[in-house]
Amino acid sequence: MSLEQEIQELRSIVTHLSSEVIRLSSEVTRLEKENKELRTRLQRYEQPKNSSNRSVSPSQEDNRPRRKSIRQSSGKKPGGQAGRKGNTLKMTLSPDKIQPCMSNYCECSGMSLSEVDAEFIGKTPSD
């Protein structure tokens, strides 16, 4: 193969490679643009959802912050403890004031009770 033929072959290879570089460069530009558009669309879905950007109440949120009490546990069960002496208001034999509490109508039939005499039925004081 002569030197002229080698040069001609190398020129054709360079021309071919140059056109391939141009084609690949335009392909890279197109893919970069597509990548940027897809990242923009994806960013809309990557934001954590909460009650302010979707129709879910704050109590039903999956990612809602859990509040932790700063109180120390005593180890006791809730409510009154065993052996506790309670304070209950006792009935007295001579109350300071008696206030009648009567209904104006019958809860069963709905009829007026204004004509019926009142009769006390209640608990007798114990002591």
Side-chain angles (χ1 to χ4, degrees):
M1 191 182 323
S2 72
L3 185 61
E4 287 294 322
Q5 289 175 337
E6 269 187 64
I7 291 175
Q8 190 64 27
E9 190 175 320
L10 289 175
R11 281 186 180 165
S12 72
I13 291 173
V14 166
T15 305
H16 173 72
L17 291 176
S18 176
S19 65
E20 189 68 16
V21 165
I22 291 171
R23 186 187 71 76
L24 290 175
S25 176
S26 66
E27 180 73 10
V28 166
T29 304
R30 184 188 69 77
L31 290 173
E32 284 176 342
K33 182 179 177 184
E34 182 181 342
N35 190 4
K36 184 178 179 182
E37 289 172 4
L38 290 173
R39 284 182 187 271
T40 304
R41 284 176 48 195
L42 182 63
Q43 200 172 30
R44 187 174 12 158
Y45 299 107
E46 286 182 343
Q47 292 178 357
K49 295 185 186 288
N50 57 35
S51 59
S52 64
N53 61 9
R54 65 178 182 160
S55 59
V56 172
S57 66
S59 63
Q60 292 178 336
E61 259 185 50
D62 297 333
N63 303 342
R64 74 175 187 263
R66 306 283 188 217
R67 305 286 190 249
K68 185 168 171 98
S69 175
I70 58 174
R71 292 176 51 194
Q72 297 287 328
S73 174
S74 66
K76 297 178 181 178
K77 291 184 177 180
Q81 301 300 310
R84 175 181 171 268
K85 194 167 191 167
N87 291 333
T88 303
L89 188 60
K90 306 271 188 220
M91 284 183 70
T92 178
L93 293 172
S94 57
D96 295 338
K97 181 179 176 185
I98 297 175
Q99 184 170 352
C101 182
M102 299 185 317
S103 178
N104 295 331
Y105 62 92
C106 176
E107 291 184 15
C108 295
S109 65
M111 295 183 69
S112 174
L113 298 177
S114 59
E115 302 296 323
V116 179
D117 290 333
E119 179 183 340
F120 177 73
I121 301 175
K123 186 175 179 184
T124 58
S126 61
D127 252 339

